[in-house]
Amino acid sequence: MKRLHAKWLLPLLAAACAVTGCDTAGVQEDDDTSQERPFRATSRIGGNDTRATVDSDALTFKWENKSEEAHLVYKDGEQTGYTFTIDQNTISDDGRQADFGAESGFEAEAGTWLLAAIPTTGYTAAEGGSYTFTMPEEDVVQTGNNSTEHIGLRMPMYARAQATAERTASFSFKHLGSLLRFRVKNLNSGAETITGIGVEAENGRGVFGRSVTLTADGASVTATYADEGDSRIGVTLSDCTVASGEMLTAYTATLPGASFGDGTVLKVVLTTGGGSYVSDRFTITDGSGLSLTDGKWTPGKFYTLNLTLDNELRFEGVNHDGFTETDNDIEW
């Protein structure tokens, strides 16, 4: 069983408590509501807005005790981000629920609106209480075939909740971006070392978004995506040799960028260990398998580009799925 380290998932779990109801079996409870007890955010994996199928294998998101795991919580009227860290003693038996304690000095009166954001890097505060997430510029680096640990800094999420008199909050997280998965079957007679794969829009169209700004007002949060974007995103691969007949699976992520739709040409480029590259193009049409919103990538969906590799790279189609509660009978 593979395990995705949840460095980027932390606030994500808090979400489902508000939207699906939480099974708290195996979680320690603390009824002490005194001011001596640190503020606590309950976090649980689950719910339609907080689940993502990354591949067709049995990859399950679980909380682990890692010292760097944390998420940020912003208080209305402040531009300071506070770090919350996992409490290993509260991880549930199924690994899907845990509590996160606030850093020293965090205080929020009952009824105070809080905005939680993930990952802990990438968000900046602005005047007026808005927060902007900016996608890293460089290609994402993936170590090994079908690894997912590298995508955390590119999968931003947010949640909105009110502090309670018991010094707790339960967040319902939503995805701000979309996941892209490349699946390339090696049809050559021998193994292939693959060092990179990317997709680009012809004519320099900025279809891959760079940033999103969150503006909170009461219970609601508005996400505004920058119209400008990049024309290309890619994955640099290390330690990735694919045997004959086997599949390369690589991942990256994007935000909605410039609007695109019918007639847009995307090109997938694959680089091998010898420095050579192969590519193939496909044109976006109504039947191309993409699910777009207003001509842009849809947050909360993942897109799979299917290809084959022999002497050439051939595009075999694209499909999409939602970040739903169950996909292919996989539990997340």
Side-chain angles (χ1 to χ4, degrees):
M1 176 73 71
K2 298 180 182 179
R3 179 170 290 182
L4 177 60
H5 298 298
K7 182 187 298 183
W8 55 282
L9 288 175
L10 310 187
L12 162 131
L13 279 83
C17 291
V19 294
T20 62
C22 290
D23 177 7
T24 57
V27 179
Q28 296 181 0
E29 295 294 337
D30 183 358
D31 293 328
D32 179 15
T33 60
S34 72
Q35 292 297 307
E36 298 301 319
R37 180 165 63 82
F39 194 95
R40 182 180 65 183
T42 299
S43 302
R44 182 172 174 81
I45 294 176
N48 289 342
D49 292 321
T50 64
R51 300 158 74 90
T53 296
V54 175
D55 61 29
S56 59
D57 299 324
L59 180 63
T60 301
F61 293 166
K62 288 187 177 181
W63 288 113
E64 293 182 339
N65 181 39
K66 293 169 66 75
S67 60
E68 67 269 27
E69 291 183 344
H71 65 280
L72 298 182
V73 173
Y74 299 97
K75 292 196 294 185
D76 277 15
E78 295 188 14
Q79 296 183 30
T80 302
Y82 298 88
T83 300
F84 280 59
T85 304
I86 194 170
D87 180 352
Q88 65 171 329
N89 295 318
T90 66
I91 300 176
S92 63
D93 292 340
D94 63 5
R96 295 175 60 192
Q97 179 166 311
D99 288 352
F100 292 81
E103 65 182 346
S104 177
F106 179 85
E107 295 293 342
E109 295 181 359
T112 300
W113 282 104
L114 307 174
L115 178 66
I118 195 74
T120 56
T121 59
Y123 280 96
T124 57
E127 294 295 334
S130 64
Y131 304 93
T132 298
F133 173 83
T134 302
M135 189 72 74
E137 294 183 1
E138 67 279 0
D139 278 4
V140 63
V141 178
Q142 175 176 323
T143 302
N145 192 359
N146 202 28
S147 171
T148 58
E149 292 188 20
H150 60 287
I151 60 176
L153 296 181
R154 286 169 164 78
M155 293 294 290
M157 290 168 279
Y158 75 96
R160 190 73 161 149
Q162 281 182 295
T164 71
E166 290 74 30
R167 300 173 58 76
T168 64
S170 295
F171 295 99
S172 179
F173 278 79
K174 295 186 178 181
H175 288 275
L176 289 165
S178 305
L179 185 68
L180 269 69
R181 172 172 65 182
F182 301 91
R183 303 195 74 197
V184 185
K185 187 169 185 179
N186 178 20
L187 299 182
N188 286 306
S189 58
E192 286 286 348
T193 298
I194 300 173
T195 58
I197 189 168
V199 59
E200 58 191 64
E202 292 194 335
N203 302 320
R205 302 189 65 179
V207 303
F208 303 107
R210 293 178 185 168
S211 66
V212 55
T213 298
L214 302 176
T215 304
D217 181 13
S220 66
V221 178
T222 300
T224 304
Y225 295 89
D227 289 334
E228 73 275 6
D230 296 316
S231 61
R232 178 192 176 279
I233 57 173
V235 185
T236 297
L237 297 160
S238 63
D239 191 26
C240 190
T241 299
V242 183
S244 175
E246 296 299 316
M247 185 82 69
L248 163 72
T249 307
Y251 306 90
T252 188
T254 186
L255 297 171
S259 179
F260 68 103
D262 280 8
T264 300
V265 177
L266 299 180
K267 180 171 70 172
V268 182
V269 180
L270 181 146
T271 307
T272 65
S276 61
Y277 71 91
V278 289
S279 64
D280 195 15
R281 293 171 169 81
F282 63 99
T283 302
I284 303 300
T285 66
D286 286 340
S288 61
L290 286 177
S291 174
L292 304 176
T293 300
D294 297 326
K296 301 180 180 183
W297 304 105
T298 302
K301 286 192 178 292
F302 77 92
Y303 300 84
T304 302
L305 304 180
N306 300 294
L307 304 109
T308 56
L309 173 67
D310 45 30
N311 293 325
E312 298 178 343
L313 183 69
R314 294 185 177 85
F315 174 72
E316 303 292 349
V318 59
N319 59 276
H320 71 275
D321 291 279
F323 288 6
T324 56
E325 195 159 350
T326 55
D327 282 282
N328 304 321
D329 296 322
I330 299 172
E331 184 178 71
W332 290 80

